[in-house]
């Protein structure tokens, strides 16, 4: 591995002051200063032998001071100052050892220590040290190349990237989807890769590979198929069922919830008795994923709503719940008849089979070595009003099953949450959003223990739950133009980066700031385009308007809208 040397010929000055993480350098070689820019790398002599301190230029200043006897006819005295943020220590590899970069400060520079600019050869050598340190694994993760040196490939630590959660942010058109596709492309050749991608708009459909599986949440007109996923209602927990089926503004909502839960428990008990599963009869709860017929629930509640009882006088009178379930029954009937919810209330007998949950979880969770791999799930036909509930249902299923796998046999899985602001909101309202948020917050806090990683992908980080973001230790930040979004990322990045994050609004398309445990050094990276590009390209308005003939697609689109299917 190429070594890096301390070249006095590249010196720009000496250390004037130093604190815990920064150093101020007084420039003594103005000709070297002209070749230095903010965010360039510098090397400072360390007080310990065999070490060099690596820093990033955060500020370049020229201070003017009035000299004694100055009358105004002469120039004021000028002093050039460079402020450097110390980012790590380079062990130079004396004694034949390979040079190693560490993110810790093994020592601090002394006053008058020499500071040198990293010339091209030194920069290339340093970047190769970074790349070599990150690429020592059998299957290194490479996203692209360093912006400071296009010849040096930028590797990330794949373990730390997924163990400690990651956030990928960027305004629309910044190259965010390309970055996700490149990441999946790097994962796909791994023989036991395992991930679920929540594809909200169907833009990752073009991605192909031996270990890439495509699934779609069933639409209104879909039947059964290997690539079609159904999420039957009995998979919902009690807290998830209530906002879907109950109208909390109803005065009778508490009674309706009580009667509904009692009916569900009775239906699940009946199902277990019919299967002879006495081992579960004393242990199951209302949240246990046990099939039951919603039509039976409906019949029980209708009977309760119309029940007449014998009064003290011997005459019939209205029962205690007579007429109090009317609105609830109307709401439940509307759900059953809503073709958009075919994926949840389909009448297929296969969905009531006791083994359906295992079949579903195998599709979602099997690693590549067991016939799975990277599962891209298309949620584009799920109604937007219940999208948070359905996405979180899939996430909760994965997490819940992982919790019951013996730790010595855990197979890690990563959840890619595309368009996360739609279902992990910063300010959740009561109902489906609140239920969804609870699931993702728990995964963010506890997922690492059970081998579940989160990759949060969004163009609006200011609209994503701050708890989930703060639990993430890796950030791939692309161009962000919104001030609120910039501020959110600035608050999450380490203070020691100085004004590194000020690059967010001026990054080029496909450029990213990579910061966190997975990156040896906070870096500006040019992401390499993936071989299979997602279907997220920006429509070229002016070019389209310049065409003399265009296809007439309106009639076809109206027909698809009416039948809720393409």
């Amino acid at each position: 591995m190429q070594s890096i040397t301390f070249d006095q010929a590249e010196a720009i000055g000496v250390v004037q002051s130093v604190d815990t993480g920064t150093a101020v350098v007084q420039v003594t070689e103005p000709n070297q200063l002209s070749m230095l820019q903010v965010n360039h790398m510098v090397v400072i002599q360390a007080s310990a032998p065999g070490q060099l301190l690596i820093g990033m230029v955060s500020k370049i200043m020229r201070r003017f001071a009035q000299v004694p006897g100055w009358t105004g006819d002469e120039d004021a005295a000028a002093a050039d100052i460079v402020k450097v943020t110390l980012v790590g220590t380079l062990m130079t590899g004396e004694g034949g050892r390979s040079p190693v970069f560490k993110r810790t400060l093994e020592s601090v520079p002394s006053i008058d220590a020499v500071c040198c600019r990293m010339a091209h050869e030194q920069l290339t050598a340093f970047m190769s040290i970074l790349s070599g340190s990150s690429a020592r694994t059998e299957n290194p993760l490479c996203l692209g190349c360093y912006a400071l040196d296009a010849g040096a490939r930028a590797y990330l630590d794949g373990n730390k990237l997924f163990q400690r959660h990651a956030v990928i942010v960027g305004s629309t058109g910044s190259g965010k989807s390309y970055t996700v596709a490149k990441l999946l492309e790097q994962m796909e050749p791994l023989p036991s890769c395992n991930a679920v991608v929540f594809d909200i708009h169907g833009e990752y459909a073009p991605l192909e590979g031996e270990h890439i599986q495509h699934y779609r949440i069933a639409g209104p007109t879909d039947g059964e198929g290997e690539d079609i996923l159904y999420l039957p209602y009995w998979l919902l927990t009690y807290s998830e069922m209530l906002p879907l089926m109950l109208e909390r503004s109803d005065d009778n909502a508490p009674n309706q919830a009580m009667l509904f839960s009692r009916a569900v428990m009775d239906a699940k008990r009946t199902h277990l008795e019919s299967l002879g599963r006495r081992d579960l009869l004393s242990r199951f709860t209302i949240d246990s994923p046990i099939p039951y017929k919603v039509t039976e629930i409906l019949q029980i509640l209708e009977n309760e709503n119309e029940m007449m009882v014998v009064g003290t006088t011997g005459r019939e009178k209205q029962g205690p719940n007579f007429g109090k379930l009317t609105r609830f029954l109307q709401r439940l009937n509307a759900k059953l008849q809503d073709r958009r919810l075919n994926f949840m209330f389909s009448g297929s007998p296969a969905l009531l089979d006791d083994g359906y949950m295992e079949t579903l979880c195998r599709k979602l969770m099997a690693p590549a070595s067991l016939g799975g791999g990277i599962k891209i799930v298309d949620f584009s036909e799920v109604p937007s009003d219940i999208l948070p509930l359905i996405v979180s249902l899939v996430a909760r299923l994965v997490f819940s099953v992982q919790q019951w796998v013996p730790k010595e046999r855990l197979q890690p899985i990563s959840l890619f949450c595309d368009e996360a602001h739609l279902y992990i909101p910063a300010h959740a309202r009561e109902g489906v959003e609140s239920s969804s948020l609870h699931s993702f917050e728990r995964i963010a806090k506890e997922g690492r223990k059970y081998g579940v990683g989160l990759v949060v992908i969004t163009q609006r980080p200011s609209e994503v739950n701050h708890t989930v973001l703060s639990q993430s230790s890796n950030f791939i930040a692309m161009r962000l133009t919104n001030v609120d979004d910039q501020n959110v990322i600035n608050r999450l990045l380490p203070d020691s980066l100085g004004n590194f994050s000020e690059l967010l609004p001026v990054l080029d398309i496909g450029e990213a700031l990579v910061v966190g445990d997975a990156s040896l050094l906070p870096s500006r990276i040019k992401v390499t385009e993936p071989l299979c590009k997602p279907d997220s390209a920006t429509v070229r308005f002016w070019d389209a308007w310049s065409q003399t003939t265009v296809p007439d697609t309106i009639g076809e689109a109206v027909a698809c809208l009416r039948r809720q299917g393409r």
Side-chain angles (χ1 to χ4, degrees), residues 35-42 55-58 84 117-118 123 148:
M35 292 180 278
L36 200 65
Q37 296 180 16
V38 172
N39 293 321
H40 273 193
M41 309 294 297
V42 295
M56 297 178 65
V57 176
S58 59
V84 176
R117 176 179 65 89
M118 270 198 191
L123 184 61
L148 287 175

Side-chain angles (χ1 to χ4, degrees), residues 51 57 71 84 97 110 125 162 187-188 198 208 277 286 302 355 372-373 380 412-413 415 425 446 511-512 534 537 556:
Q51 297 180 8
V57 176
T71 62
V84 176
R97 295 187 298 269
S110 56
F162 293 107
M187 293 170 55
E188 190 273 333
F198 301 143
E208 296 178 352
R277 296 297 304 271
I286 194 169
E302 284 178 349
S380 60
I413 185 170
L415 305 179
E446 305 174 27
E511 279 192 341
E556 181 182 353

Side-chain angles (χ1 to χ4, degrees), residues 4 10 30 95 127 137 167 184 210 267 293 298 315 321 328 367 477 484 520 524 553:
I4 184 170
E10 303 294 339
M127 291 302 179
T137 60
V167 176
L184 296 174
E210 180 184 356
K293 293 183 179 180
L298 194 62
R315 295 182 180 181
N321 297 306
F328 178 81
D484 293 335
L520 277 176
R524 183 174 179 176
T553 58

Side-chain angles (χ1 to χ4, degrees), residues 187-195 209-213 362-375 411-413:
M187 293 170 55
E188 190 273 333
L190 302 180
S192 291
C193 62
N194 201 0
E210 180 184 356
H211 298 151
I212 293 180
Q213 314 290 333
R362 285 189 182 278
K363 287 184 177 181
L364 291 173
M365 300 179 62
S369 54
L370 295 178
I374 297 172
K375 284 77 62 173
Q411 293 296 319
I413 185 170

Side-chain angles (χ1 to χ4, degrees), residues 176-372:
K176 183 172 68 277
S177 298
Y178 272 30
T179 302
V180 175
K182 182 64 179 178
L183 194 55
L184 296 174
E185 183 181 284
Q186 293 286 295
M187 293 170 55
E188 190 273 333
L190 302 180
S192 291
C193 62
N194 201 0
V196 179
V197 181
F198 301 143
D199 187 4
I200 305 304
H201 301 302
E203 61 186 273
Y204 295 102
L207 272 61
E208 296 178 352
E210 180 184 356
H211 298 151
I212 293 180
Q213 314 290 333
H214 287 273
Y215 294 103
R216 182 165 56 85
I217 303 299
T221 59
D222 285 322
E224 296 181 21
E226 282 299 315
D227 62 336
I228 303 297
L229 294 183
Y230 286 85
L231 302 172
Y233 51 86
W234 51 264
L235 291 174
L236 297 170
T237 64
Y238 181 62
S239 61
E240 292 169 341
M241 287 188 290
L242 287 187
L244 178 66
M245 301 181 178
L246 192 69
E247 189 174 339
R248 294 188 179 274
S249 60
D250 193 329
D251 294 337
N252 295 310
N255 283 337
Q256 294 170 359
M258 178 193 66
L259 293 169
F260 176 70
S261 63
R262 185 190 302 167
V264 170
M265 285 292 288
D266 290 343
K268 289 185 176 183
R269 183 179 294 106
T270 301
H271 178 79
L272 291 175
E273 289 173 346
S274 69
L275 296 176
R277 296 297 304 271
R278 298 189 178 279
D279 56 319
L280 294 179
L281 281 173
S282 61
R283 300 184 181 183
F284 82 97
T285 69
I286 194 169
D287 288 341
S288 300
I290 298 170
Y292 63 89
K293 293 183 179 180
V294 71
T295 51
E296 292 181 359
I297 302 294
L298 194 62
Q299 186 61 54
I300 292 172
L301 296 179
E302 284 178 349
N303 292 341
E304 191 75 28
N305 193 52
E306 299 170 357
M307 182 181 292
M308 302 292 290
V309 296
V310 178
T312 55
T313 61
R315 295 182 180 181
E316 280 194 342
K317 66 174 185 178
Q318 295 178 350
N321 297 306
F322 188 91
K324 294 181 179 179
L325 299 174
T326 303
R327 293 180 64 182
F328 178 81
L329 290 168
Q330 290 173 345
R331 184 177 175 86
L332 184 54
N333 266 311
K335 297 290 183 185
L336 294 176
Q337 296 171 11
D338 190 343
R339 295 299 301 164
R340 299 177 305 161
L341 303 182
N342 177 46
F343 63 88
M344 183 174 287
F345 294 109
S346 170
S348 172
L351 300 182
L352 293 174
D353 186 84
D354 205 44
Y356 179 76
M357 182 177 174
E358 182 178 338
T359 302
L360 174 64
C361 289
R362 285 189 182 278
K363 287 184 177 181
L364 291 173
M365 300 179 62
S369 54
L370 295 178

Side-chain angles (χ1 to χ4, degrees), residues 64 115 142 147 166 181 184 221 266 269 354 367 381 417 461 481 488 507:
F64 293 93
C115 175
C142 178
L184 296 174
T221 59
D266 290 343
R269 183 179 294 106
D354 205 44
E381 294 195 46
C417 304
T481 54
V488 169
L507 291 172

